[in-house]
Amino acid sequence: MRILVLGGTWFLGREIVRRAVQRGWRVTTFNRGRSGVDHKEADAVHGDRTVQQDLLKLADHGPWDAVIDTSSSELSPRDVLVAARALREATGRWIHVSTVSVYAGWPHQHLTEESPLLEAPFDADEHFGYTGEDGSPTRYGFQKAGGEAAVRHVYGDGAVFLRPGVILGPGEYVGRLPYWLDRVSRGGRFLAPMPTERRMQPVDVRDVARFALDQAAASTSGGYNLAHPVGITWRDFVASCLAVTGGSGTPMWVDPEDLSAAGVKQWTELPLWRTHAGVWDVDAARAVTAGLRCRPISETIEQTWHWLREGGRPVDHPRWAEHGLEAAKEVRILSTLDTQ
């Protein structure tokens, strides 16, 4: 089996390459060579996927049985289209890492793979789309929906779309789970969102990587929601973070209305917290039927903490700075809540 991984040096891309090599597959990676480290057993090709000449040179390294695209999150549909067309003769199968944000109903509605997608042209530029007043839909969602349309336009039934909500695990570069692990390990009282029994559905990067490779070797097509079929409650999530870190912190469970009134930003200042009804109501039955297997989220928490303690450091990424509640703001909010 020969595959091309667009990206391949950090988080999901790196895990896909590592597991593909373990399977004995021949792997080519394509990236700019600016972050992360190329796998020593992969054929590393450096270039810019938005540059036609670089893509044509890349195509000369083919053919491949499949392409797995892990690096389109910040690209316009037009850029995705250029890459898909340039590589069409080198492979007949494209596994596209997309997002649950492509659904028109996210994050308000229960979602399945049959739910309608946002409408976006396959050749739209980076300006297409908008973000709604309540934060949904998002321009990001429109851009990703257009990216899917571009791949579908070129590859037809040879296209597979992986639509995760949140991916966690060792190597995470966004800072969601690392924030919670760091915060509970420092002790003291910390803010946590009610209701405590609400479930969330993040998936482990290693489980996504395994599923992506399985799809590369299969003959399936269409979209798959990658959401944990069991999930974890907020109570158990916080308890697991405390257990693995040995932290002495005490959660102060606060109503969402009070957190919002205190100016706490959903999704970023308290990572993974969002009150919209559908944000963690994603049906992954089709992916499970196709072979998605998700480890317990408590295991993801434990192994991410181990990675951090062993000196693990994600690649530098601006999104890391967006996540987490500043200590001074947390103290101020806790003090205010004490007087109410």
Side-chain angles (χ1 to χ4, degrees):
M1 184 80 181
R2 294 192 66 194
I3 64 169
L4 166 65
V5 179
L6 301 181
T9 60
W10 42 285
F11 201 37
L12 177 58
R14 179 175 60 187
E15 187 64 22
I16 287 173
V17 172
R18 186 183 72 83
R19 287 176 174 269
V21 169
Q22 285 182 343
R23 294 187 183 196
W25 294 6
R26 294 180 59 187
V27 182
T28 302
T29 58
F30 181 68
N31 54 70
R32 293 176 297 179
R34 298 178 182 176
S35 60
V37 179
D38 293 308
H39 194 288
K40 63 182 180 180
E41 295 184 45
D43 177 18
V45 181
H46 291 162
D48 189 329
R49 61 175 293 170
T50 66
V51 177
Q52 180 75 12
Q53 194 60 36
D54 288 358
L55 289 167
L56 294 177
K57 290 180 180 179
L58 170 65
D60 290 338
H61 289 259
W64 301 278
D65 297 296
V67 172
I68 303 179
D69 186 359
T70 70
S71 68
S72 68
S73 62
E74 299 177 8
L75 297 179
S76 71
R78 185 175 298 171
D79 289 330
V80 175
L81 179 66
V82 168
R85 283 174 168 167
L87 298 174
R88 184 64 180 88
E89 295 302 315
T91 179
R93 190 160 179 77
W94 187 290
I95 314 302
H96 194 72
V97 180
S98 185
T99 170
V100 74
S101 297
V102 298
Y103 288 110
W106 191 85
H108 301 283
Q109 302 171 7
H110 170 73
L111 296 175
T112 72
E113 287 89 350
E114 304 305 317
S115 299
L117 303 179
L118 294 169
E119 295 185 6
F122 63 80
D123 57 352
D125 65 18
E126 67 275 16
H127 302 294
F128 184 83
Y130 64 93
T131 297
E133 291 184 3
D134 70 342
S136 64
T138 62
R139 175 170 287 176
Y140 173 73
F142 280 105
Q143 291 282 306
K144 293 293 282 186
E148 286 196 13
V151 175
R152 191 179 299 108
H153 176 74
V154 176
Y155 281 84
D157 290 340
V160 174
F161 305 103
L162 309 184
R163 298 172 183 147
V166 171
I167 303 176
L168 302 177
E172 185 200 336
Y173 63 90
V174 176
R176 294 185 175 111
L177 181 51
Y179 164 78
W180 285 104
L181 290 167
D182 175 69
R183 180 61 195 90
V184 304
S185 71
R186 288 190 277 115
R189 294 188 305 160
F190 59 90
L191 294 172
M194 295 180 69
T196 60
E197 299 309 311
R198 188 181 187 191
R199 290 188 175 271
M200 49 182 155
Q201 300 174 276
V203 288
D204 191 289
V205 62
R206 294 159 293 185
D207 298 331
V208 175
R210 180 175 59 243
F211 187 76
L213 291 172
D214 290 345
Q215 293 307 302
S219 58
T220 51
S221 64
Y224 292 96
N225 293 337
L226 303 190
H228 201 290
V230 177
I232 190 171
T233 66
W234 268 101
R235 184 188 300 278
D236 289 343
F237 174 79
V238 170
S240 292
C241 289
L242 284 165
V244 302
T245 63
S248 58
T250 302
M252 183 172 182
W253 297 100
V254 182
D255 286 330
E257 295 80 5
D258 292 331
L259 288 172
S260 296
V264 179
K265 297 177 182 177
Q266 297 186 37
W267 211 237
T268 52
E269 287 191 312
L270 282 188
L272 305 176
W273 170 59
R274 196 166 183 176
T275 58
H276 299 77
V279 68
W280 297 122
D281 190 12
V282 179
D283 187 341
R286 185 170 190 259
V288 171
T289 299
L292 175 66
R293 297 293 179 267
C294 293
R295 69 197 67 207
I297 296 173
S298 58
E299 183 178 321
T300 301
I301 294 170
E302 178 182 5
Q303 292 173 354
T304 300
W305 177 246
H306 178 73
W307 166 70
L308 291 168
R309 293 284 289 174
E310 292 296 312
R313 182 178 181 277
V315 296
D316 292 329
H317 197 281
R319 293 184 67 186
W320 186 280
E322 298 175 359
H323 290 80
L325 187 61
E326 291 184 357
K329 183 173 182 177
E330 183 180 49
V331 169
R332 185 168 62 254
I333 294 172
L334 287 168
S335 298
T336 300
L337 294 172
D338 286 340
T339 62
Q340 293 179 354

